[in-house]
Amino acid sequence: MHARVQWSGEGMSFLAETGSGHLVAMDGAPEGGGRNLAPRPLEMVLLGTGGCTAYDVVLILKRGRHDVLGCEVKLQAERAPEDPKVFTRIHMHFTVRGRGLRREVVERAVKLSHEKYCSASAMLEHTAKIEHSIDVIEVPA
């Protein structure tokens, strides 16, 4: 895996190119010299973690032939007050929608993501306590 990040030459904005050829802009807060035109780099880390675990949960449920119709993860993070301001706590709230989904099946998928598959969570748990909560919503046929 590889990526390239290049400073725009103005303020604190950067353009990143992923190894798969996708572009992502990042910018800093005005108080840090940025113009608030794009997500902060650490916000991208949090987003990536949410995407990583949501991907796992959906894939696990689909492979189990469960009728999953939606998956949303809301993340709330706390950071250390001093540099480096690492994440110290992350709460992930999963809302999974589907037909005939049992709560214990969704809980198992979230647990497998956290304990086995999500590389981002595995890295972040070295500095952050990661917690989960789950809502399962039945979608009528």
Side-chain angles (χ1 to χ4, degrees), residues 62-84:
K62 284 184 169 285
R63 283 188 176 163
R65 302 192 190 278
H66 298 284
D67 194 3
V68 59
L69 300 172
C71 179
E72 175 183 88
V73 185
K74 291 183 182 175
L75 296 100
Q76 180 67 43
E78 295 175 9
R79 295 175 61 191
E82 302 295 324
D83 290 329

Side-chain angles (χ1 to χ4, degrees), residues 17-109:
E17 182 177 2
T18 67
S20 57
H22 298 279
L23 298 176
V24 178
M26 294 178 282
D27 197 7
E31 59 270 15
R35 295 186 300 160
N36 197 30
L37 297 175
R40 313 286 185 268
L42 208 53
E43 288 176 326
M44 298 295 289
V45 172
L46 193 60
L47 286 173
T49 303
C52 185
T53 192
Y55 181 99
D56 292 341
V57 169
V58 169
L59 188 63
I60 291 164
L61 293 173
K62 284 184 169 285
R63 283 188 176 163
R65 302 192 190 278
H66 298 284
D67 194 3
V68 59
L69 300 172
C71 179
E72 175 183 88
V73 185
K74 291 183 182 175
L75 296 100
Q76 180 67 43
E78 295 175 9
R79 295 175 61 191
E82 302 295 324
D83 290 329
K85 295 178 182 168
V86 298
F87 291 125
T88 57
R89 184 186 152 287
I90 300 171
H91 181 84
M92 299 182 187
H93 181 76
F94 293 80
T95 302
V96 181
R97 296 177 19 253
R99 293 189 183 103
L101 284 176
R102 295 187 331 269
R103 181 177 183 82
E104 57 271 12
V105 169
V106 175
E107 287 172 346
R108 179 181 171 275

